[in-house]
Amino acid sequence: MKKILLLGSGELGKEFTIAAKRMGQYVVACDKYADAPAMQVADESEVLDMLSGDALDRVVERHKPDIIVPEIEAIRTERLYDYEKGGIQVVPSARAVNYTMNRKAIRELAAKELGLKTARYRYARSAEEMRGAVEQVGLPCVVKPLMSSSGHGQSLLRSMDEIPEVWEKACEGSRGDVMEVIVEEFIDFDYEITQLTVTQKDGPTLFCPPVGHVQKHGDYRESWQPAVMRQEHLREARRMAGEVTAALTGYGIWGVEFFVSNKNGVYFSELSPRPHDTGMVTLAGTLNLNEFELHLRAVLGLPIPEIELLRAGASCPVLSTIRADRPAEFTGVAEALSERRTDFRIFGKHPVWPDRRLGVMLAYDDPGCDINALRDKVKAAAAKVHTV
């Protein structure tokens, strides 16, 4: 049995903890507030500010974990190098977490060191610098904080007049103490995918069937598996995913995001060194092992003989429409689940506020089904569920 220190206890951490407990592991779940989703199923929990290196040191010293699994960006990531040097396994590796928690580091690695195809980009540390960056990249463009996730602080900039407002939004949405943004060329893509990629200690890098997804303001609103795409584009996405994960080093599952243009090919977008929110579609039983089980096996060094597509799936998050200090209650669940081959997972988050992701609706069908019809089905089911 290994003792796992989980840094971040949201819905992804909760599913990972469930997978870990099923394999007999001991999990200490950490977050900035009590009774976060993963804490509800973990062996122990800790409430702390993970941006405080001293607070992290105290928790690591208290629990003496075998493995540290980061789930969020808001961590004093440079401390992970020290823990790794001290013999603690960091997932996927301290290098990977430090690079991928900062958009500047990962973009420089991808575009300059590895030569992967990306959108044109510039950085800015003030609204005035952002104006110069926009002039170089062109309008429209996308502005993101260097440290954020799930679309926090992200904007599509269409006019120079919007720069002060967009800069303020980016600063408010930034996690950590880095007040810098990346200004990206807007790619006229046909669709987006997440290529879930599994790196192993004693086995080959494996690729899940591609996950199609739709985002709104940088946050996922639906995903489906498998995404239908041209084979040459799939090969290119997997080539790039393999290169960037190998350069970052370590073992686990990675969510590698790509823009795909039928005319201009595949563009590397972003990368998460952990289970991905769009990969919650695997909870619909699309694969022989869901993304959390794959992550755990890779982390523990257990064999993954193959990743097999068992059925098609689609997911759609259910968002809060209320603000409350308590967990939300849900209406319409019975009506939504009256549809064949549907399921609903409640995360157990609190407090709640409008647009906070509180659950996920899932639907599945046989491989080769009409994937667009399945997407419509899961969205219709999710629309029947309301928070009160």
Side-chain angles (χ1 to χ4, degrees):
M1 180 179 69
K2 300 288 188 180
K3 180 179 276 192
I4 298 172
L5 188 68
L6 179 66
L7 300 182
S9 297
E11 61 267 32
L12 303 179
K14 184 175 188 176
E15 294 295 337
F16 174 77
T17 300
I18 291 170
K21 293 306 302 173
R22 285 174 175 162
M23 292 296 291
Q25 309 306 304
Y26 192 96
V27 180
V28 181
C30 303
D31 215 307
K32 63 182 179 181
Y33 69 99
D35 202 31
M39 294 178 180
Q40 299 161 19
V41 292
D43 296 280
E44 292 186 70
S45 63
E46 292 276 0
V47 176
L48 72 151
D49 175 9
M50 288 173 285
L51 285 170
S52 167
D54 291 341
L56 275 178
D57 287 346
R58 286 193 293 271
V59 168
V60 170
E61 177 59 30
R62 182 181 304 125
H63 292 282
K64 295 180 170 53
D66 301 294
I67 305 171
I68 295 176
V69 178
E71 192 226 6
I72 61 172
E73 283 78 11
I75 301 170
R76 187 58 61 191
T77 54
E78 59 269 23
R79 281 293 209 279
L80 299 177
Y81 286 113
D82 296 330
Y83 306 148
E84 194 172 69
K85 289 176 184 176
I88 300 172
Q89 178 186 348
V90 176
V91 176
S93 65
R95 170 182 167 85
V97 176
N98 273 274
Y99 267 74
T100 55
M101 295 304 187
N102 185 308
R103 287 191 170 98
K104 188 172 189 176
I106 191 61
R107 183 56 61 90
E108 294 297 298
L109 173 69
K112 293 188 176 179
E113 293 185 39
L114 300 178
L116 306 186
K117 187 176 181 180
T118 71
R120 291 183 295 116
Y121 63 94
R122 294 292 186 276
Y123 304 112
R125 292 175 177 261
S126 67
E128 190 55 39
E129 282 189 14
M130 196 170 95
R131 183 176 296 276
V134 173
E135 288 174 350
Q136 295 180 66
V137 169
L139 290 170
C141 60
V142 179
V143 178
K144 306 174 186 176
L146 288 188
M147 294 283 286
S148 74
S149 66
S150 299
H152 294 292
Q154 180 172 320
S155 299
L156 177 61
L157 182 69
R158 299 182 182 275
S159 164
M160 290 291 195
D161 295 336
E162 299 171 350
I163 286 177
E165 176 185 352
V166 166
W167 171 257
E168 288 300 319
K169 180 179 177 181
C171 290
E172 290 171 4
S174 178
R175 294 188 179 184
D177 48 15
V178 178
M179 290 298 123
E180 188 172 4
V181 301
I182 182 170
V183 179
E184 292 183 342
E185 170 192 15
F186 179 78
I187 299 296
D188 187 16
F189 58 88
D190 291 287
Y191 57 94
E192 298 176 83
I193 67 159
T194 303
Q195 177 57 70
L196 295 172
T197 303
V198 182
T199 52
Q200 304 182 83
K201 182 177 181 180
D202 297 312
T205 295
L206 301 175
F207 301 101
C208 298
V211 175
H213 66 255
V214 171
Q215 299 190 60
K216 183 178 180 182
H217 306 306
D219 198 11
Y220 121 95
R221 289 294 182 264
E222 61 168 311
S223 65
W224 60 95
Q225 188 181 44
V228 178
M229 57 191 302
R230 284 156 48 178
Q231 284 302 303
E232 62 265 32
H233 290 162
L234 179 58
R235 285 193 295 270
E236 180 64 3
R238 289 179 171 176
R239 180 191 69 79
M240 288 195 276
E243 286 191 20
V244 71
T245 54
L248 290 168
T249 72
Y251 318 117
I253 199 166
W254 314 66
V256 192
E257 296 180 56
F258 296 96
F259 298 122
V260 184
S261 164
N262 289 327
K263 179 180 178 181
N264 297 315
V266 180
Y267 294 80
F268 171 84
S269 174
E270 293 188 349
L271 179 149
S272 298
R274 58 187 182 276
H276 202 265
D277 50 7
T278 64
M280 282 192 285
V281 68
T282 62
L283 294 174
T286 54
L287 307 176
N288 55 315
L289 297 166
N290 67 44
E291 68 166 341
F292 308 99
E293 294 164 338
L294 289 167
H295 193 46
L296 180 72
R297 284 208 188 186
V299 167
L300 296 178
L302 297 174
I304 305 171
E306 67 174 340
I307 297 174
E308 183 182 2
L309 180 71
L310 301 182
R311 54 194 185 186
S315 81
C316 180
V318 171
L319 309 179
S320 175
T321 57
I322 64 169
R323 186 178 298 274
D325 292 329
R326 56 169 174 80
E329 296 181 37
F330 298 85
T331 63
V333 175
E335 185 181 1
L337 295 181
S338 65
E339 288 279 353
R340 293 178 63 250
R341 297 182 169 182
T342 59
D343 195 8
F344 181 47
R345 304 288 179 93
I346 295 171
F347 302 147
K349 290 181 175 179
H350 68 89
V352 299
W353 54 80
D355 290 337
R356 191 176 196 197
R357 202 163 57 209
L358 300 183
V360 63
M361 186 64 65
L362 303 162
Y364 62 92
D365 208 333
D366 299 325
C369 71
D370 183 340
I371 199 71
N372 289 324
L374 191 61
R375 291 170 58 191
D376 290 341
K377 177 180 178 178
V378 79
K379 286 184 287 186
K384 295 175 182 176
V385 178
H386 302 280
T387 52
V388 293

